[in-house]
Amino acid sequence: MECFICSKAIGCGYLCEQHARELKDMLENKIGVIETPDWRHHCLICGEHKNRIIIEYPSAGYFCDEDICEEWRKWLEHKDKTP
Amino acid sequence: MDPLGLVPVETILDAASLVDSVVSMANEPSWANAGFLAWDVAGTLIPYVPGAWVAKGGKYASKLKKAEEVGEASADSVKVVGKSEKTAGKGAKEAEQEAGQQAEKKTEQASEGAVKDTAETGVDKVKNEGEGAVQNSSADKNNGVIAVDPQGNAMPLKPGQKIEGRPDGKMWQVKDKDGNPTGDRYDGLGHPKQSDPKAQAPHAHRVGSDGQPIKDEVGNPHLPANPPKEKD
């Protein structure tokens, strides 16, 4: 697996920790939000755009809120498990 | 073989070329195909006037070979290989073939000692970071260029359009002069969460003249494209 933004190899998921955090921050601060997403803005990871908040990351493309939150959750869980 | 000229070879070629032109026009309406069709109609009806096959023969013979060469020649970023005719409605593979044809034209120019520089071709610079847009020039206001990514996927760009995406070219999209996505896009990593195998695999999206996604023969908008090249 590799990060969809920087291609860094990761054990699971589709975003590295740094980019999962960055996208989560963009989502929370409403940076790069596509106001009226249509099929052209479909998420790179899940391919969906309907009923999603879409964020544009300039050097990669579009990511939806559900995937961003899921990827970030994975990293949080990973941290919890790390002794 | 046919010393008396009893076999109407030209008429057969005219008819075959006419059928080809009708199919090409139906599948891919363009001024170029309209011209071929008109030529073929005239060639079929008027005795001794050859059809458009005299022009199409060379085109088809070299198209695939040249497209292959362009794909191989591509480096680490999206490159511009030449001017494009209007090719809206084509899949990435077809655009790649078109790129090959354009590259052939460029080679011809080079052999004639008339290599055009970037200003003359209407291209300032198209980088994978998307900083460069296709520029208009006085000689080339209606034509754009064809950009080819490291995988050999080709995309026709109209004046003012640019490509934005990952520096390694695994994912990119076309944006218009106002920064809006056109819908032309390469998803080299696919959409891994989709259940559709065509969406999961590396694919491209192309947009038609109506602004809607072009779909394949079964109505799927995920069109085949070359996958990302693995690093050595």
Side-chain angles (χ1 to χ4, degrees):
Chain A
M1 309 293 265
E2 67 176 84
C3 173
F4 265 52
I5 292 179
C6 66
S7 78
K8 179 181 175 184
I10 44 179
C12 66
Y14 308 103
L15 292 171
C16 68
E17 183 179 6
Q18 177 201 332
H19 285 117
R21 180 191 287 117
E22 202 174 333
L23 282 169
K24 182 192 70 77
D25 290 344
M26 288 173 75
L27 188 63
E28 285 176 356
N29 296 311
K30 296 184 169 51
I31 297 169
V33 175
I34 305 296
E35 289 185 3
T36 51
D38 58 37
W39 69 273
R40 297 169 303 162
H41 307 96
H42 62 275
C43 174
L44 284 169
I45 297 173
C46 68
E48 301 291 342
H49 70 275
K50 288 177 183 168
N51 303 317
R52 300 282 209 277
I53 298 171
I54 301 287
I55 300 283
E56 181 175 14
Y57 192 92
S59 69
Y62 307 102
F63 296 91
C64 76
D65 56 336
E66 289 194 11
D67 286 331
I68 293 169
C69 292
E70 188 178 331
E71 293 300 308
W72 179 239
R73 201 161 46 240
K74 277 181 191 170
W75 283 108
L76 288 179
E77 287 170 5
H78 176 74
K79 275 185 178 174
D80 289 344
K81 287 175 187 170
T82 307
Chain B
M1 290 286 285
D2 183 28
L4 299 177
L6 297 175
V7 180
V9 178
E10 268 201 30
T11 306
I12 292 169
L13 285 170
D14 284 349
S17 184
L18 178 60
V19 171
D20 176 66
S21 291
V22 170
V23 172
S24 295
M25 189 61 186
N27 291 336
E28 183 193 319
S30 70
W31 286 112
N33 284 335
F36 280 136
L37 179 58
W39 185 354
D40 277 325
V41 170
T44 307
L45 295 177
I46 305 170
Y48 304 112
V49 173
W53 52 268
V54 295
K56 285 194 272 187
K59 179 178 110 177
Y60 288 128
S62 60
K63 224 175 178 183
L64 282 173
K65 184 170 179 288
K66 291 293 179 184
E68 224 169 71
E69 287 170 8
V70 170
E72 289 300 316
S74 297
D76 293 336
S77 61
V78 180
K79 284 187 169 181
V80 172
V81 296
K83 285 189 264 182
S84 74
E85 301 294 323
K86 287 184 179 176
T87 52
K90 288 187 175 181
K93 293 268 186 185
E94 286 169 293
E96 187 182 345
Q97 292 173 8
E98 187 74 19
Q101 192 186 351
Q102 298 301 329
E104 181 187 7
K105 283 181 186 173
K106 207 170 185 181
T107 307
E108 284 169 5
Q109 289 169 352
S111 65
E112 291 165 8
V115 182
K116 292 188 173 185
D117 65 24
T118 54
E120 281 179 307
T121 56
V123 181
D124 182 14
K125 188 167 57 173
V126 175
K127 293 205 304 185
N128 50 359
E129 291 90 351
E131 290 172 2
V134 179
Q135 305 291 316
N136 271 341
S137 75
S138 57
D140 192 21
K141 284 192 173 170
N142 297 318
N143 293 330
V145 297
I146 292 177
V148 181
D149 73 6
Q151 290 72 243
N153 297 305
M155 182 61 70
L157 299 176
K158 293 174 183 169
Q161 291 183 341
K162 63 181 179 180
I163 284 181
E164 283 187 9
R166 272 175 50 156
D168 61 7
K170 285 186 179 179
M171 292 183 287
W172 48 261
Q173 63 176 326
V174 179
K175 290 202 169 176
D176 66 17
K177 59 182 169 52
D178 299 319
N180 298 314
T182 64
D184 292 322
R185 172 169 156 180
Y186 174 62
D187 290 327
L189 297 180
H191 304 309
K193 290 188 176 177
Q194 284 269 326
S195 56
D196 175 9
K198 288 182 178 176
Q200 280 184 4
H203 61 265
H205 295 281
R206 294 297 317 277
V207 65
S209 54
D210 59 354
Q212 294 303 305
I214 293 171
K215 295 175 180 171
D216 67 10
E217 65 280 3
V218 293
N220 194 316
H222 303 94
L223 306 174
N226 293 331
K229 284 182 179 172
E230 293 301 323
K231 282 184 180 175
D232 297 328

